[in-house]
Amino acid sequence: MQIYETTDYNEMSRKAANIMASQIVLKPDSVLGLATGSTPEGLYQQLIDKYENGDLDFSKVQTVNLDEYVGLDMDNHQSYHYYMVNKLFRHINVDPKNCHFLNGMEKDSQKECSRFERLIQGFGSIDLQLLGVGENGHIGFNEPNTHFSKGTHLVALTQNTIEVNSRFFKDKEEVPHYAYTMGIKNLMDAKRILFVVNGKRKAKILRKIITGPITPEVPASILQLHKNVTVVADKEALSLL
Ligand code: GLP
């Protein structure tokens, strides 16, 4: 793991955006694995700024999103599809046909997960996978005690994740209890992983992820075994290391 410490969230976002931008400059038809949550918002804004300055061209980029809530359609403001379109895609020149999502409205989970697996396999591999982390160590929606060998699958969200993510919903009752997610296997198959973490509330889990045992209880601990992980984290997140 290569670890970059930044003074704050803004510097984390700038540094991570520069890494992603260099990936796109060096390989304009990169396949990017993208993540949601509050952590990457600043990074996405930086990418928009670079596009507006004429420094980045997304026209050949392909994107695959990590995960999606089951039961939310793409126009639902809490869906990850809506997030990606509004926080990034509609502000840049990515071709909407090149932006791929899990469909939270597909009730047949086996059909949806196989479709997504075929899609990822069709790309060969993901060039750069962006990841944030949940407070319980989940990546994508791979909750604690998920098998590391899993591909795309349906997940029952833990009570902790439902509670933490309820801050984005009007009411805790509105948080879906299920999600589709790429599996750890899909993430480990990516050529490079860009892992962004910020804030005090992630300090405890980040210490476990980087220095603790590799265990399904802390899903992100598997990243210790990936050969090309870049961690960009702020001082607060790294404060317990
Ligand atoms: C969600 C997403 C994860 C994300 C996590 C952390 O649960 N499925 O991909 O990493 O939230 O979100 P935040 O960055 O808001 O802390």
Side-chain angles (χ1 to χ4, degrees), residues 24 27-32 56-63 92-100 123 127:
I24 298 166
K27 189 175 180 221
D29 60 349
S30 287
V31 180
L32 303 178
L56 266 186
D57 175 15
F58 291 86
S59 60
K60 296 197 181 77
V61 164
Q62 299 273 348
T63 72
I92 58 174
N93 68 333
V94 68
D95 184 342
K97 286 201 294 297
N98 293 345
C99 301
H100 307 279
F123 287 132
D127 291 298

Side-chain angles (χ1 to χ4, degrees), residues 1 188 190-191 223-229:
M1 276 185 181
M188 292 300 282
K191 287 187 191 150
L223 298 178
Q224 291 179 34
L225 295 182
H226 193 283
K227 56 184 182 319
N228 195 356
V229 180

Side-chain angles (χ1 to χ4, degrees), residues 102-120:
L102 278 153
N103 175 9
M105 295 308 284
E106 175 55 65
K107 291 205 172 81
D108 184 339
S109 59
Q110 234 169 356
K111 184 175 155 203
E112 181 56 9
C113 295
S114 320
R115 178 190 72 81
F116 209 70
E117 279 294 313
R118 283 196 301 277
L119 176 90
I120 300 172

Side-chain angles (χ1 to χ4, degrees), residues 140-157:
F141 267 133
N142 290 278
E143 296 281 34
N145 299 316
T146 307
H147 279 281
F148 286 150
S149 58
K150 275 206 173 174
T152 307
H153 62 286
L154 174 73
V155 189
L157 299 176

Side-chain angles (χ1 to χ4, degrees), residues 8 21 53 58 63 65 68 87 103 124-125 130 132 140 143 152 156 181 185 188 202 209 211 227 229 238-239 241:
D8 56 18
N53 290 339
F58 291 86
T63 72
N65 257 84
E68 182 59 282
K87 305 265 185 230
N103 175 9
S125 56
L130 174 66
E143 296 281 34
T152 307
T181 185
K185 182 182 182 308
M188 292 300 282
K202 301 278 176 73
I209 292 165
T211 64
K227 56 184 182 319
V229 180
L238 286 166
S239 58
L241 267 108

Side-chain angles (χ1 to χ4, degrees), residues 34-41 66-69 80 130-135 138-143 157 161 164-165 167-168 181 196 198 201-202:
L34 298 179
T36 55
S38 43
T39 313
E41 284 188 24
L66 259 183
D67 47 11
E68 182 59 282
Y69 288 114
Y80 288 163
L130 174 66
L131 288 180
V133 67
E135 287 175 33
H138 73 234
I139 38 180
F141 267 133
N142 290 278
E143 296 281 34
L157 299 176
T161 297
V164 174
N165 287 6
R167 70 188 191 280
F168 296 111
T181 185
V196 285
N198 78 289
R201 71 185 174 98
K202 301 278 176 73

